[in-house]
Amino acid sequence: MGSVSTNYENTAAPGVPFYTPAQIPPPGTPLDKASAPTLFQPLKIRSLELHNRFVVSPMCQYSADDGHLTDYHLVHLGQLALHGTGLIIVEATAVEPRGRISPQDAGLWKDSHIAPMRRVVDFIHSQGVKAGIQIAHAGRKASTLAPWIGGTATKTLADESVGGWPEDVVGPSPIPFYEDHALPKELTKEEIKGLVRKFAEAAERAVKAGFDMIEIHGAHGYLISSFLSPRSNKRTDEYGGSFDNRIRFVREVTEAVRAVIPETMPLSLRVSATELMEWTGEESWTVEDTIKLAKLVPSWGIDIFDVSSSGNSYEQRFPENPHFQLDIARTIRKALRADGIDMVVAAVGNITDAQTARDVVQEGPEAAGELALVARQFLREPEWVLRVAHELKVGVKWANQYSRAGPRTDFSKKF
């Protein structure tokens, strides 16, 4: 006859500076791993161990105070940690003040940013979830207003009266993103080298804040992305012109970051796989360029290739297929596997229903990636992981404090 446990201690979560019950296993863990789809299977990348393949994609919230995260971020990201995602990536975080998209963007350009970041990371960790951060520079798309203020017929640019810096916006070439954006100053080679150092310094602060992984933002027309594109990069030095020259900045940033973070920490790169400007017949950054880049980045220290699109050209044209980005990720993954490259591919873009989420990462040659990155659907439904599990009939662990509200299958019961 087996013995009955007499341990009635409400065990505390380890490694955090406050009491909260330990989530063992973390919310979103399948109760029967053997029968669960790949979406609910664990994944290990270097020393990072995720309990499922759901990732909260970086989402700008325009709610920071001089770059510092606030209680808003603790609540916004904390609620997602309670509901079962495997990894949460904090929004695009600027490596210098003029690298912010808006005056209210998050930052990691000074040491005082570390403690508020650590507070958010500690809470995410307390729920058994992993925390990542996206380090970024807005480049020529900097000094704009939050979207619920800007982007109107009256004003997009944030001027000095609201904390903006329209006279100190920078890019690879003096080409504005659009007529309502600042005219960027062309970076000197010395300034480029300085920015490489600033990315590395931000990464060092991210390590001190306790993050489990770091992503470099090379997408959506921000600084790195604008260096990649021949439409926005008209330089004639070693940072412009040829493909090898246009990728030089992202290579130097990646290698500098990799050199200062632990060998055990995964490093991700987000790219816009296409500018969606092929319709012009003019030279632009294309899926073929992205595949070429993807085959190079593992040697620089990249572990995760995060496939997004667009954002560098105002005249971009989106395909009618809402899942075109997932198809691009699938194409890139197949090209990598054909060359024997097993780098993790992260797929993102309109993953809003259970079946799409399942199919994106389902193990096999048709998978779009190993990770499913989701943004706006988590804003609609913070508990979306649990809803997906219910719809796919996968039993999963709920947060201890929420477990009495788990999915009800027998509505004859009364509580």
Side-chain angles (χ1 to χ4, degrees):
M1 188 175 192
S3 61
V4 177
S5 173
T6 56
N7 181 11
Y8 298 110
E9 181 181 357
N10 195 352
T11 305
V16 293
F18 55 88
Y19 174 78
T20 187
Q23 305 289 353
I24 304 173
T29 301
L31 303 181
D32 180 8
K33 290 185 181 180
S35 63
T38 306
L39 185 62
F40 287 94
Q41 295 292 340
L43 179 67
K44 184 172 183 179
I45 313 167
R46 294 196 187 230
S47 66
L48 175 66
E49 296 187 35
L50 305 179
H51 65 275
N52 62 37
R53 310 300 181 91
F54 291 90
V55 180
V56 175
S57 194
M59 291 181 280
C60 293
Q61 296 292 293
Y62 310 96
S63 300
D65 181 6
D66 188 29
H68 300 87
L69 298 193
T70 68
D71 285 355
Y72 170 81
H73 298 92
L74 180 66
V75 174
H76 163 60
L77 297 171
Q79 66 173 332
L80 299 174
L82 281 166
H83 287 109
T85 188
L87 171 66
I88 296 174
I89 305 179
V90 173
E91 64 191 75
T93 300
V95 301
E96 67 168 359
R98 66 180 179 178
R100 292 171 292 172
I101 303 167
S102 82
Q104 289 77 42
D105 275 22
L108 261 181
W109 66 80
K110 55 185 177 181
D111 289 349
S112 62
H113 292 140
I114 296 173
M117 288 279 184
R118 183 84 207 199
R119 186 165 179 246
V120 172
V121 171
D122 281 343
F123 185 84
I124 293 172
H125 284 167
S126 76
Q127 303 309 305
V129 177
K130 303 302 183 183
I133 187 169
Q134 185 185 70
I135 54 175
H137 194 294
R140 66 182 184 148
K141 296 176 79 173
S143 193
T144 59
L145 297 166
W148 55 86
I149 303 170
T152 66
T154 55
K155 193 172 180 63
T156 295
L157 197 64
D159 59 29
E160 290 87 348
S161 69
V162 292
W165 54 99
E167 301 303 316
D168 196 24
V169 171
V170 297
S173 301
I175 303 172
F177 173 70
Y178 190 59
E179 59 188 20
D180 59 357
H181 283 62
L183 175 65
K185 296 185 295 184
E186 180 170 306
L187 288 162
T188 67
K189 286 192 284 186
E190 286 186 0
E191 288 175 318
I192 291 171
K193 298 296 184 185
L195 282 171
V196 171
R197 289 193 297 273
K198 288 178 180 180
F199 269 93
E201 290 165 358
E204 289 179 306
R205 294 187 181 99
V207 173
K208 292 177 181 177
F211 285 100
D212 303 294
M213 62 83 71
I214 292 173
E215 177 167 273
I216 297 168
H217 198 347
H220 304 158
Y222 300 121
L223 186 61
I224 289 175
S225 176
S226 64
F227 264 91
L228 295 177
S229 169
R231 297 182 61 85
S232 48
N233 183 351
K234 302 294 185 181
R235 302 177 72 95
T236 57
D237 60 12
E238 62 266 39
Y239 289 96
S242 69
F243 174 88
D244 288 342
N245 282 356
R246 285 183 281 113
I247 68 169
R248 190 181 305 277
F249 181 50
V250 68
R251 176 176 60 80
E252 291 180 351
V253 167
T254 300
E255 291 177 343
V257 170
R258 181 79 264 174
V260 299
I261 65 176
E263 188 276 334
T264 55
M265 176 179 281
L267 183 59
S268 175
L269 174 64
R270 169 166 279 193
V271 298
S272 281
T274 169
E275 292 183 78
L276 300 176
M277 293 295 290
E278 290 86 350
W279 65 271
T280 65
E282 300 173 0
E283 189 179 12
S284 64
W285 184 264
T286 65
V287 173
E288 290 72 26
D289 293 317
T290 301
I291 290 172
K292 189 175 177 181
L293 177 67
K295 292 180 179 181
L296 294 173
V297 298
S299 67
W300 306 348
I302 293 295
D303 305 290
I304 304 168
F305 200 66
D306 182 357
V307 181
S308 190
S309 76
S310 66
N312 192 50
S313 296
Y314 193 83
E315 299 172 297
Q316 62 194 10
R317 291 184 181 178
F318 287 93
E320 292 184 4
N321 173 15
H323 294 144
F324 77 94
Q325 278 184 191
L326 304 181
D327 292 339
I328 292 172
R330 186 173 292 109
T331 297
I332 293 169
R333 185 175 182 273
K334 286 181 177 179
L336 291 171
R337 299 300 181 265
D339 280 10
I341 300 171
D342 291 329
M343 178 171 56
V344 170
V345 174
V348 62
N350 282 310
I351 303 174
T352 60
D353 63 273
Q355 194 60 49
T356 298
R358 178 192 182 280
D359 293 347
V360 161
V361 299
Q362 185 61 30
E363 187 174 353
E366 293 305 311
E370 284 68 43
L371 294 171
L373 271 66
V374 178
R376 296 177 191 180
Q377 192 60 27
F378 278 122
L379 298 183
R380 300 180 187 105
E381 297 181 278
E383 76 287 357
W384 188 66
V385 172
L386 303 178
R387 181 177 295 279
V388 169
H390 182 63
E391 292 184 8
L392 295 180
K393 296 180 172 54
V394 178
V396 296
K397 167 77 160 47
W398 280 46
N400 295 338
Q401 302 94 317
Y402 287 20
S403 58
R404 293 185 68 186
R408 291 177 58 184
T409 56
D410 182 356
F411 289 93
S412 66
K413 292 182 179 179
K414 296 182 180 179
F415 296 92

